[in-house]
Amino acid sequence: MTSTVSRALAHYPNRFDPGGMSELPEHLQATIRRRNKVLGPGYTLIYKEPVEFVSGHGAHLIDRDGNDYLDAYNNVPCVGHAHPHVAEAVSRQMAAVNTNTRYVQESLVDYAERLLATFPEELSKLSLACSGSEANDLAVRVARFHTGGEGIIVTRWAYHGLTREVASFSPTLGTGSPLGPNVRLIDPPDPRLVAPGSTLAEHMRNQVRGAIDDLERHGYRLAALITDCAYSSDGIFTDPVGYMKAVVEEVHASGGVYIADEVQSGFARLGDSMWGFTRHAVLPDIVTMGKPMGNGLPISGVVFRPEVCEAFGQNVRYFNTFAGSSIPVAAGAAVLDVFENENVRQRALENGTALRAGLQEITKDSPYVAEVRGSGLYVGVELVKDPKTLEPDRSRTEDVINDMRDRRILISGTGKAANVLKIRPPLAFTSADVTRFLETFSEVAKDRL
């Protein structure tokens, strides 16, 4: 068992190595030792030297010594750490009442109407949960009820959550978390995998068709294809757009549904639209969202085409004491206020474009950078040992991540080989933050790239 767990953790990007404990400041060592005594299994710290924060604002985190770190990694506080409007709304509601969905809440109805107004009109039913894992769990339950199938298709290194059900189709969790026998894997939309003379749309359609055929050979009817619209754990593949139409057609032809996982790519993360799926001009049957919708409070959501969820709602009782209660709904509504008042989507688009352009300029002559890719404020920089073979360079990737952390900028890694720099800041990231990031990255690149 120990070897299985260690193999699984070996895939965890940018993980703190406890063997380096003696090199840490004494107060940090003491806290980590206390942490290890009381916390359950599976927890990990990140960075070669973990860091402790006591406050935050915008895209900035402040450590116990007052040092300012630029956060270019945490997507959950999407409108910024400790945003005053969200904090005030939550505090006001907490001082009033916190009831659940078994009671009439006008604020809940108001919020649902506002949120659904950001979706195509065909997606008109909302269920609330507490986490992205719960949202994806519910989405798959509904998909199975609607289709009568059990088969699930995901990409090769996807992450969709931690419940037992959702972990069964989250291959990035590693060997210690086995996939279900009803799960099939397909390539992420990496144009470099497409055979000469073919197109990305044909390649992805063929992958899905092959997965459906294999499921049927083993007695599984297709329930759903579920994709993270940024393919975050696969290494961040946001472009080109357009291939999803052929994929969704193939899924529907086999009686399945398409679930768009917007936990990481939603809420204008990709800049040019509120939701990642709209960039591909497709209509999902189900859309899932996670904690960014409440700026970090435990609220998540599932949006359905009504015909997909109708029978489930008539036959299955669904209730969650905290999901849809007054306090997280107040947070969600406040986040929508910020989007409207601060033009968050445009900010993400403009600053993301500047960030990618700067990274491309800094790395254009590097033999270790295969690609800079992404959209909006979601950027991946793929590091390799040889640009011709694309052999991953995880060691160099972790060196860059830790060098940036030492210069007080937070990023992480992603991809099956953990060799893609994952740059995913709060959407409060400003043009000044972009400048600071690029100046620091340029310093690191001189030594590492």
Coordinates of all heavy atoms in Angstrom, one line a residue, residues 70-139:
L70 N 2.7 37.9 -5.1 CA 1.7 38.0 -6.2 C 1.1 36.6 -6.5 O 1.9 35.7 -6.8 CB 2.4 38.6 -7.4 CG 1.5 38.8 -8.7 CD1 0.4 39.7 -8.4 CD2 2.4 39.3 -9.8
D71 N -0.2 36.5 -6.3 CA -0.8 35.2 -6.5 C -1.2 35.1 -8.0 O -2.1 35.7 -8.5 CB -2.1 35.2 -5.7 CG -2.8 33.8 -5.8 OD1 -2.3 32.9 -6.5 OD2 -3.8 33.6 -5.1
A72 N -0.5 34.2 -8.7 CA -0.8 33.9 -10.1 C -1.2 32.4 -10.2 O -1.0 31.8 -11.3 CB 0.4 34.2 -11.0
Y73 N -1.8 31.9 -9.2 CA -2.2 30.5 -9.2 C -3.6 30.2 -8.7 O -4.3 29.3 -9.3 CB -1.2 29.7 -8.3 CG -1.6 28.3 -8.0 CD1 -1.7 27.4 -9.1 CD2 -1.8 27.8 -6.8 CE1 -2.0 26.1 -8.9 CE2 -2.2 26.5 -6.5 CZ -2.3 25.6 -7.6 OH -2.6 24.3 -7.4
N74 N -4.2 30.9 -7.8 CA -5.4 30.5 -7.2 C -6.6 31.1 -7.9 O -6.9 32.3 -7.8 CB -5.4 31.0 -5.7 CG -4.4 30.2 -4.9 OD1 -4.7 29.0 -4.7 ND2 -3.4 30.8 -4.4
N75 N -7.4 30.2 -8.5 CA -8.6 30.6 -9.2 C -9.8 30.8 -8.4 O -10.8 31.4 -8.7 CB -8.9 29.7 -10.4 CG -9.4 28.3 -9.8 OD1 -8.7 27.7 -9.0 ND2 -10.4 27.8 -10.4
V76 N -9.8 30.1 -7.2 CA -11.1 30.1 -6.4 C -11.5 31.5 -5.9 O -12.7 31.8 -6.1 CB -10.9 29.1 -5.2 CG1 -12.1 29.2 -4.2 CG2 -10.8 27.7 -5.7
P77 N -10.6 32.4 -5.4 CA -11.1 33.7 -5.1 C -11.1 34.6 -6.4 O -10.3 35.4 -6.6 CB -10.0 34.2 -4.1 CG -8.8 33.5 -4.5 CD -9.2 32.1 -5.0
C78 N -12.0 34.3 -7.2 CA -11.9 34.7 -8.6 C -12.0 36.2 -8.8 O -11.3 36.8 -9.6 CB -13.0 34.1 -9.5 SG -14.7 34.6 -9.2
V79 N -12.7 36.9 -7.9 CA -12.8 38.4 -8.0 C -11.8 39.0 -7.1 O -11.8 40.3 -6.9 CB -14.2 39.0 -7.8 CG1 -15.1 38.5 -8.9 CG2 -14.7 38.6 -6.4
G80 N -10.9 38.2 -6.4 CA -9.8 38.8 -5.6 C -9.9 38.3 -4.2 O -11.0 38.1 -3.6
H81 N -8.8 38.2 -3.5 CA -8.8 37.8 -2.1 C -9.5 38.9 -1.3 O -9.2 40.1 -1.4 CB -7.3 37.6 -1.6 CG -6.6 36.5 -2.3 ND1 -6.8 35.2 -1.8 CD2 -5.7 36.4 -3.3 CE1 -6.1 34.4 -2.6 NE2 -5.4 35.1 -3.4
A82 N -10.3 38.4 -0.3 CA -11.0 39.3 0.6 C -11.7 40.5 -0.1 O -11.6 41.6 0.4 CB -10.0 39.8 1.7
H83 N -12.3 40.2 -1.2 CA -13.0 41.4 -1.9 C -14.0 42.0 -0.9 O -14.8 41.4 -0.4 CB -13.7 40.9 -3.1 CG -14.1 42.0 -4.0 ND1 -15.1 42.9 -3.7 CD2 -13.6 42.4 -5.3 CE1 -15.2 43.8 -4.7 NE2 -14.3 43.5 -5.6
P84 N -13.9 43.3 -0.7 CA -14.7 44.0 0.3 C -16.2 43.8 0.1 O -17.0 43.7 1.0 CB -14.3 45.4 0.3 CG -13.5 45.6 -1.0 CD -12.9 44.3 -1.3
H85 N -16.6 43.9 -1.2 CA -18.1 43.7 -1.5 C -18.6 42.3 -1.1 O -19.7 42.2 -0.5 CB -18.3 44.0 -3.0 CG -19.8 44.0 -3.3 ND1 -20.7 44.9 -2.9 CD2 -20.5 43.1 -4.0 CE1 -21.9 44.6 -3.3 NE2 -21.8 43.5 -4.0
V86 N -17.8 41.3 -1.4 CA -18.2 40.0 -1.1 C -18.2 39.8 0.4 O -19.1 39.2 1.0 CB -17.3 38.9 -1.8 CG1 -17.7 37.5 -1.4 CG2 -17.3 39.1 -3.3
A87 N -17.1 40.3 1.1 CA -17.0 40.1 2.5 C -18.2 40.8 3.2 O -18.7 40.3 4.2 CB -15.7 40.7 3.0
E88 N -18.5 42.0 2.8 CA -19.6 42.7 3.4 C -21.0 42.0 3.2 O -21.8 41.9 4.1 CB -19.7 44.1 2.8 CG -20.6 45.1 3.6 CD -22.0 45.0 3.2 OE1 -22.3 44.6 2.1 OE2 -22.9 45.3 4.1
A89 N -21.2 41.5 2.0 CA -22.4 40.8 1.7 C -22.6 39.5 2.6 O -23.7 39.2 3.1 CB -22.5 40.4 0.3
V90 N -21.5 38.8 2.7 CA -21.5 37.6 3.6 C -21.7 37.9 5.0 O -22.5 37.3 5.7 CB -20.2 36.8 3.4 CG1 -20.1 35.6 4.4 CG2 -20.2 36.2 1.9
S91 N -21.0 38.9 5.5 CA -21.1 39.4 6.9 C -22.5 39.8 7.2 O -23.1 39.5 8.3 CB -20.1 40.5 7.2 OG -20.3 40.9 8.5
R92 N -23.1 40.6 6.3 CA -24.5 41.1 6.5 C -25.5 39.9 6.6 O -26.4 39.9 7.4 CB -24.9 42.1 5.4 CG -26.2 42.7 5.6 CD -26.5 43.7 4.5 NE -26.5 43.2 3.1 CZ -25.6 43.4 2.2 NH1 -24.6 44.2 2.5 NH2 -25.7 42.9 1.0
Q93 N -25.3 39.0 5.7 CA -26.2 37.8 5.7 C -26.1 36.9 6.9 O -27.0 36.4 7.5 CB -26.1 37.0 4.4 CG -27.1 35.9 4.2 CD -28.5 36.5 4.1 OE1 -28.8 37.3 3.3 NE2 -29.4 36.0 4.9
M94 N -24.8 36.8 7.3 CA -24.5 36.0 8.5 C -25.1 36.6 9.7 O -25.6 35.8 10.7 CB -23.0 35.8 8.7 CG -22.6 34.8 9.7 SD -20.8 34.6 9.8 CE -20.5 33.7 8.3
A95 N -25.2 37.9 9.8 CA -25.8 38.5 10.9 C -27.3 38.5 10.9 O -28.0 38.9 11.9 CB -25.3 40.0 11.0
A96 N -27.9 38.1 9.8 CA -29.3 38.1 9.6 C -29.9 36.7 9.8 O -30.5 36.4 10.9 CB -29.7 38.7 8.3
V97 N -29.7 35.8 8.8 CA -30.2 34.4 8.9 C -29.5 33.6 7.9 O -29.1 34.1 6.9 CB -31.8 34.4 8.7 CG1 -32.1 34.8 7.2 CG2 -32.4 33.1 9.0
N98 N -29.5 32.3 8.2 CA -29.0 31.3 7.2 C -29.9 30.1 7.1 O -29.9 29.3 8.0 CB -27.6 30.8 7.6 CG -26.9 30.0 6.5 OD1 -27.1 30.3 5.3 ND2 -26.1 29.0 6.8
T99 N -30.8 30.1 6.1 CA -31.8 29.0 6.0 C -31.5 28.2 4.7 O -30.7 28.7 3.9 CB -33.2 29.6 5.9 OG1 -33.3 30.5 4.8 CG2 -33.5 30.3 7.2
N100 N -32.1 27.1 4.6 CA -31.9 26.2 3.4 C -33.0 26.3 2.4 O -34.0 27.0 2.6 CB -31.5 24.8 3.9 CG -32.7 24.2 4.6 OD1 -33.8 24.1 4.2 ND2 -32.4 23.7 5.8
T101 N -32.9 25.4 1.4 CA -33.8 25.5 0.2 C -35.2 24.9 0.5 O -36.1 24.9 -0.3 CB -33.2 24.8 -1.0 OG1 -32.8 23.4 -0.6 CG2 -32.0 25.5 -1.5
R102 N -35.4 24.4 1.7 CA -36.8 24.0 2.1 C -37.6 25.1 2.5 O -38.8 24.9 2.8 CB -36.7 22.9 3.2 CG -36.2 21.6 2.7 CD -35.9 20.6 3.9 NE -35.8 19.2 3.4 CZ -35.2 18.3 4.1 NH1 -34.8 18.5 5.3 NH2 -35.1 17.1 3.6
Y103 N -37.0 26.3 2.7 CA -37.8 27.5 3.0 C -37.7 28.4 1.8 O -36.8 28.4 1.0 CB -37.2 28.2 4.2 CG -37.2 27.3 5.4 CD1 -36.0 26.6 5.8 CD2 -38.3 27.1 6.2 CE1 -36.0 25.7 6.8 CE2 -38.3 26.3 7.3 CZ -37.1 25.6 7.6 OH -37.1 24.7 8.7
V104 N -38.7 29.3 1.7 CA -38.8 30.2 0.6 C -37.7 31.3 0.8 O -37.6 31.9 1.9 CB -40.1 30.9 0.5 CG1 -40.1 32.0 -0.6 CG2 -41.2 29.9 0.2
Q105 N -36.8 31.5 -0.2 CA -35.8 32.5 -0.1 C -35.8 33.3 -1.4 O -35.5 32.8 -2.5 CB -34.4 31.9 0.0 CG -34.1 31.0 1.2 CD -32.7 30.5 1.1 OE1 -31.7 31.2 1.2 NE2 -32.6 29.2 0.9
E106 N -36.3 34.5 -1.3 CA -36.3 35.4 -2.5 C -34.9 35.6 -3.0 O -34.7 35.7 -4.2 CB -37.0 36.7 -2.2 CG -37.2 37.6 -3.5 CD -38.0 38.8 -3.2 OE1 -38.3 39.1 -2.0 OE2 -38.4 39.5 -4.2
S107 N -33.9 35.7 -2.1 CA -32.6 35.9 -2.6 C -32.0 34.8 -3.4 O -31.3 35.0 -4.3 CB -31.7 36.1 -1.3 OG -31.7 35.0 -0.5
L108 N -32.5 33.6 -3.1 CA -32.1 32.4 -3.9 C -32.6 32.5 -5.3 O -31.9 32.2 -6.3 CB -32.5 31.1 -3.2 CG -32.4 29.8 -4.0 CD1 -30.9 29.5 -4.3 CD2 -33.0 28.6 -3.2
V109 N -33.9 32.8 -5.4 CA -34.6 32.9 -6.7 C -33.9 34.1 -7.5 O -33.6 33.9 -8.7 CB -36.1 33.2 -6.5 CG1 -36.7 33.3 -7.9 CG2 -36.7 32.0 -5.7
D110 N -33.6 35.2 -6.8 CA -33.0 36.3 -7.5 C -31.6 35.8 -8.1 O -31.3 36.1 -9.3 CB -32.8 37.5 -6.6 CG -34.0 38.2 -6.2 OD1 -35.1 38.0 -6.9 OD2 -34.0 38.9 -5.2
Y111 N -30.9 35.1 -7.3 CA -29.5 34.7 -7.7 C -29.6 33.7 -8.8 O -28.9 33.8 -9.8 CB -28.8 34.1 -6.5 CG -27.5 33.5 -6.9 CD1 -26.4 34.3 -7.4 CD2 -27.2 32.1 -6.8 CE1 -25.2 33.8 -7.8 CE2 -26.0 31.6 -7.2 CZ -25.0 32.4 -7.7 OH -23.8 31.9 -8.1
A112 N -30.5 32.7 -8.8 CA -30.7 31.8 -9.8 C -31.0 32.4 -11.1 O -30.5 32.1 -12.2 CB -31.7 30.7 -9.4
E113 N -31.9 33.4 -11.1 CA -32.3 34.1 -12.3 C -31.2 34.9 -12.9 O -30.9 34.9 -14.1 CB -33.5 35.1 -12.0 CG -34.8 34.4 -11.7 CD -35.9 35.3 -11.2 OE1 -35.6 36.5 -10.9 OE2 -37.1 34.9 -11.3
R114 N -30.4 35.5 -12.1 CA -29.2 36.3 -12.6 C -28.1 35.4 -13.1 O -27.6 35.7 -14.2 CB -28.6 37.1 -11.4 CG -29.5 38.3 -10.9 CD -28.7 39.0 -9.8 NE -27.5 39.7 -10.2 CZ -26.6 40.2 -9.4 NH1 -26.8 40.1 -8.1 NH2 -25.6 40.8 -9.9
L115 N -27.9 34.3 -12.5 CA -26.8 33.4 -13.0 C -27.3 32.7 -14.3 O -26.5 32.7 -15.2 CB -26.6 32.3 -11.9 CG -25.5 31.3 -12.3 CD1 -24.1 32.0 -12.4 CD2 -25.4 30.2 -11.2
L116 N -28.5 32.3 -14.3 CA -29.0 31.6 -15.6 C -29.0 32.6 -16.7 O -28.9 32.1 -17.9 CB -30.4 31.0 -15.3 CG -30.4 29.7 -14.4 CD1 -31.8 29.4 -14.1 CD2 -29.7 28.6 -15.1
A117 N -29.2 33.8 -16.5 CA -29.2 34.8 -17.5 C -27.9 34.9 -18.3 O -27.8 35.5 -19.4 CB -29.6 36.2 -17.0
T118 N -26.8 34.4 -17.7 CA -25.5 34.4 -18.3 C -25.3 33.2 -19.3 O -24.3 33.1 -19.9 CB -24.3 34.4 -17.3 OG1 -24.3 33.1 -16.6 CG2 -24.5 35.5 -16.3
F119 N -26.3 32.3 -19.3 CA -26.2 31.1 -20.1 C -27.1 31.2 -21.3 O -28.1 32.0 -21.3 CB -26.6 29.8 -19.3 CG -25.6 29.4 -18.3 CD1 -25.6 29.9 -17.0 CD2 -24.7 28.4 -18.6 CE1 -24.7 29.5 -16.1 CE2 -23.8 28.0 -17.7 CZ -23.7 28.5 -16.4
P120 N -26.9 30.3 -22.3 CA -27.9 30.2 -23.4 C -29.3 29.9 -22.8 O -29.4 29.2 -21.8 CB -27.4 29.1 -24.3 CG -25.9 29.1 -24.0 CD -25.8 29.5 -22.6
E121 N -30.4 30.4 -23.4 CA -31.7 30.2 -22.9 C -32.1 28.8 -22.7 O -33.0 28.4 -21.9 CB -32.7 31.0 -23.7 CG -32.9 30.5 -25.1 CD -33.9 31.3 -25.9 OE1 -34.3 32.4 -25.4 OE2 -34.2 30.9 -27.0
E122 N -31.5 27.9 -23.5 CA -31.9 26.4 -23.4 C -31.4 25.8 -22.1 O -31.9 24.8 -21.6 CB -31.2 25.6 -24.5 CG -31.7 26.0 -25.9 CD -30.9 27.1 -26.6 OE1 -30.2 27.8 -25.9 OE2 -31.0 27.2 -27.8
L123 N -30.4 26.4 -21.4 CA -29.9 26.0 -20.2 C -30.6 26.8 -19.1 O -30.2 27.9 -18.7 CB -28.4 26.1 -20.1 CG -27.6 25.2 -21.0 CD1 -26.2 25.7 -21.3 CD2 -27.6 23.7 -20.4
S124 N -31.7 26.2 -18.5 CA -32.6 27.1 -17.7 C -32.9 26.5 -16.4 O -33.8 27.1 -15.7 CB -33.9 27.3 -18.5 OG -34.5 26.1 -18.8
K125 N -32.3 25.5 -15.9 CA -32.5 24.9 -14.6 C -31.2 24.8 -13.8 O -30.2 24.4 -14.3 CB -33.1 23.5 -14.7 CG -34.5 23.5 -15.3 CD -35.6 24.1 -14.3 CE -37.0 23.9 -14.8 NZ -38.0 24.4 -13.8
L126 N -31.3 25.3 -12.5 CA -30.1 25.3 -11.7 C -30.3 24.5 -10.4 O -31.3 24.6 -9.7 CB -29.8 26.8 -11.3 CG -28.7 27.0 -10.2 CD1 -27.3 26.6 -10.7 CD2 -28.7 28.4 -9.7
S127 N -29.3 23.6 -10.1 CA -29.2 23.0 -8.8 C -28.0 23.4 -8.2 O -26.9 23.6 -8.8 CB -29.3 21.5 -8.9 OG -30.5 21.0 -9.4
L128 N -28.0 23.6 -6.8 CA -26.8 24.1 -6.1 C -26.2 23.0 -5.2 O -26.9 22.1 -4.7 CB -27.2 25.3 -5.3 CG -27.5 26.6 -6.1 CD1 -28.0 27.7 -5.1 CD2 -26.4 27.0 -6.9
A129 N -24.9 23.0 -5.1 CA -24.2 22.1 -4.3 C -23.1 22.9 -3.5 O -23.2 24.1 -3.5 CB -23.6 20.9 -5.1
C130 N -22.1 22.2 -2.9 CA -21.1 22.8 -2.1 C -19.7 22.9 -2.7 O -18.9 23.6 -2.3 CB -21.1 22.2 -0.7 SG -22.6 22.3 0.2
S131 N -19.5 22.0 -3.7 CA -18.1 21.9 -4.3 C -18.2 21.4 -5.7 O -19.3 20.9 -6.1 CB -17.3 20.9 -3.5 OG -17.7 19.6 -3.6
G132 N -17.1 21.6 -6.4 CA -17.1 21.1 -7.8 C -17.3 19.6 -7.8 O -17.9 19.0 -8.8
S133 N -16.7 18.9 -6.9 CA -16.9 17.4 -6.8 C -18.3 17.0 -6.7 O -18.8 16.2 -7.4 CB -16.1 16.8 -5.6 OG -14.7 17.0 -5.7
E134 N -19.1 17.7 -5.8 CA -20.5 17.4 -5.6 C -21.3 17.8 -6.9 O -22.2 17.1 -7.3 CB -21.1 18.3 -4.5 CG -20.8 17.7 -3.1 CD -21.5 18.4 -2.0 OE1 -22.4 19.3 -2.4 OE2 -21.3 18.2 -0.8
A135 N -20.9 18.9 -7.6 CA -21.6 19.3 -8.8 C -21.4 18.2 -9.9 O -22.4 17.8 -10.5 CB -21.1 20.6 -9.3
N136 N -20.2 17.7 -10.0 CA -19.9 16.7 -11.1 C -20.6 15.4 -10.7 O -21.0 14.6 -11.6 CB -18.4 16.6 -11.3 CG -17.9 17.7 -12.1 OD1 -18.6 18.2 -13.0 ND2 -16.7 18.1 -11.9
D137 N -20.6 15.1 -9.4 CA -21.3 13.9 -8.9 C -22.8 13.9 -9.3 O -23.3 13.0 -9.9 CB -21.1 13.7 -7.4 CG -21.5 12.4 -6.9 OD1 -22.7 12.1 -6.9 OD2 -20.6 11.6 -6.6
L138 N -23.4 15.0 -9.0 CA -24.8 15.2 -9.4 C -25.1 15.2 -10.9 O -26.0 14.6 -11.4 CB -25.4 16.5 -8.8 CG -26.8 16.8 -9.1 CD1 -27.8 15.8 -8.6 CD2 -27.2 18.2 -8.5
A139 N -24.2 15.8 -11.6 CA -24.3 15.9 -13.1 C -24.3 14.5 -13.7 O -25.1 14.2 -14.5 CB -23.2 16.7 -13.7

